[in-house]
Amino acid sequence: MNNTVLVTKDGPITTIKLNRPDQLNAMDVELLTELNDELIKIKEDDSKIVVLTGEGNAFSAGGDMKTLLQNSDPNGFKDVMGIIKNIVTTFYSMPKVTVSVLNGAAAGLGLSVALAADFIIAKEDAKVAMNFIGIGLIPDGGGHFFMEQRLGPVKAKHTIWEGKMMTANEAQTLGLVDLATPDWNQALNHYLNKLQQSPIQSMITSKLIINGKQLPLLEEVLDQETRGQAKMRQTHDHKEGIDAFLNKREPQFIGE
């Protein structure tokens, strides 16, 4: 392991940092595996609050493109999607109050993982996008589930189909982000102080009741995303989207 995930503890607060800043914290197999392992450990520890953020100037640009290109083996793809499912369900069902801090861009899988938190704080000009459509794919990491929860089914579909890159201010107006602020660090500290002065065990118990009821649906959505993504990876439009991305040109999709 190359410390692609950093974990620090300060009393009841555990902070997780995605640590591939030179790659905008893009999620390759190593980072995903390490994040999964750390979340499993943190779920069972005595912390009450978990903060997830990114090192450097981005939260996460999403799935690592090299991993996407290299992972043509169907079994390897299922293994990676299994790790993603574990990450999302563990983070979503964690018996702690969880906070995602978008210190910079959060796109694709990066945004899906961030949306699994209870509260989202973002730097106001951070770029936010559920942009799988740009390479002919569908959201994964529970993206469909979280988008529908926050936006409702119609707005979720429209936002996924458009794949628009928006600022955190725009995402807050839409409902994807809870707080967009020019000083996310100050806002985070204020929220953490508030949590530590709250009856947090009551908050966590309410979370477990609400999220526990929704967890089977999230798991089913993740399984559907795995099946759907496997099909999309074989389409002409996906291959065209990848080629266009690599060659920095506009894709020419034909719906096949």
Side-chain angles (χ1 to χ4, degrees):
M1 292 294 179
N2 293 318
N3 295 319
T4 58
V5 175
L6 305 176
V7 177
T8 56
K9 296 182 182 295
D10 182 11
I13 303 168
T14 295
T15 300
I16 307 168
K17 276 191 175 182
L18 308 178
N19 186 39
R20 296 184 74 212
D22 55 328
Q23 301 294 325
L24 299 179
N25 299 319
M27 296 179 171
D28 63 357
V29 175
E30 184 175 13
L31 185 149
L32 289 168
T33 301
E34 199 168 345
L35 178 59
N36 184 49
D37 292 344
E38 293 295 344
L39 287 172
I40 290 170
K41 289 187 286 188
I42 292 165
K43 184 172 184 177
E44 303 301 327
D45 72 15
D46 61 356
S47 57
K48 300 292 190 295
I49 303 162
V50 177
V51 177
L52 177 63
T53 189
E55 185 66 39
N57 298 318
F59 176 82
S60 174
D64 183 79
M65 191 60 69
K66 290 181 181 177
T67 297
L68 186 65
L69 292 172
Q70 292 171 355
N71 201 358
S72 58
D73 173 32
N75 291 326
F77 169 74
K78 288 182 180 179
D79 290 343
V80 171
M81 295 299 281
I83 294 170
I84 291 170
K85 179 180 180 178
N86 289 340
I87 288 169
V88 172
T89 55
T90 302
F91 193 40
Y92 179 74
S93 63
M94 190 167 283
K96 334 271 184 184
V97 175
T98 55
V99 186
S100 288
V101 178
L102 311 187
N103 55 305
L109 178 59
L111 180 57
S112 293
V113 172
L115 290 173
D118 301 314
F119 196 76
I120 301 175
I121 298 171
K123 183 181 176 184
E124 65 181 5
D125 61 351
K127 301 301 183 185
V128 178
M130 191 61 76
N131 55 349
F132 292 88
I133 196 78
I135 53 172
L137 293 178
I138 61 171
D140 53 29
H144 293 91
F145 174 87
F146 298 122
M147 296 286 280
E148 182 177 357
Q149 272 206 327
R150 283 184 166 263
L151 306 183
V154 174
K155 184 61 73 173
K157 280 188 297 186
H158 294 175
T159 305
I160 289 167
W161 290 347
E162 187 175 9
K164 176 185 174 183
M165 185 72 72
M166 64 191 92
T167 66
N169 273 335
E170 293 172 314
Q172 181 181 4
T173 299
L174 190 64
L176 282 179
V177 166
D178 297 305
L179 177 63
T181 172
D183 191 342
W184 61 265
N185 199 32
Q186 182 182 52
L188 174 63
N189 288 333
H190 175 77
Y191 187 61
L192 294 178
N193 288 334
K194 180 180 177 181
L195 286 174
Q196 291 179 85
Q197 296 171 30
S198 301
I200 198 165
Q201 290 292 358
S202 296
M203 297 172 66
I204 291 170
T205 300
S206 290
K207 168 187 175 168
L208 294 178
I209 291 170
I210 293 170
N211 287 25
K213 181 180 177 182
Q214 297 298 315
L215 184 59
L217 176 58
L218 172 58
E219 292 173 331
E220 173 58 27
V221 168
L222 285 158
D223 290 340
Q224 289 186 34
E225 287 176 345
T226 296
R227 293 190 292 270
Q229 204 72 296
K231 291 180 180 178
M232 294 308 100
R233 283 163 56 91
Q234 304 305 313
T235 64
H236 171 278
D237 281 349
H238 171 58
K239 294 169 184 176
E240 165 64 11
I242 290 291
D243 187 75
F245 175 85
L246 294 175
N247 290 290
K248 297 180 172 59
R249 62 175 177 81
E250 287 295 315
Q252 301 296 317
F253 296 130
I254 61 172
E256 296 181 0

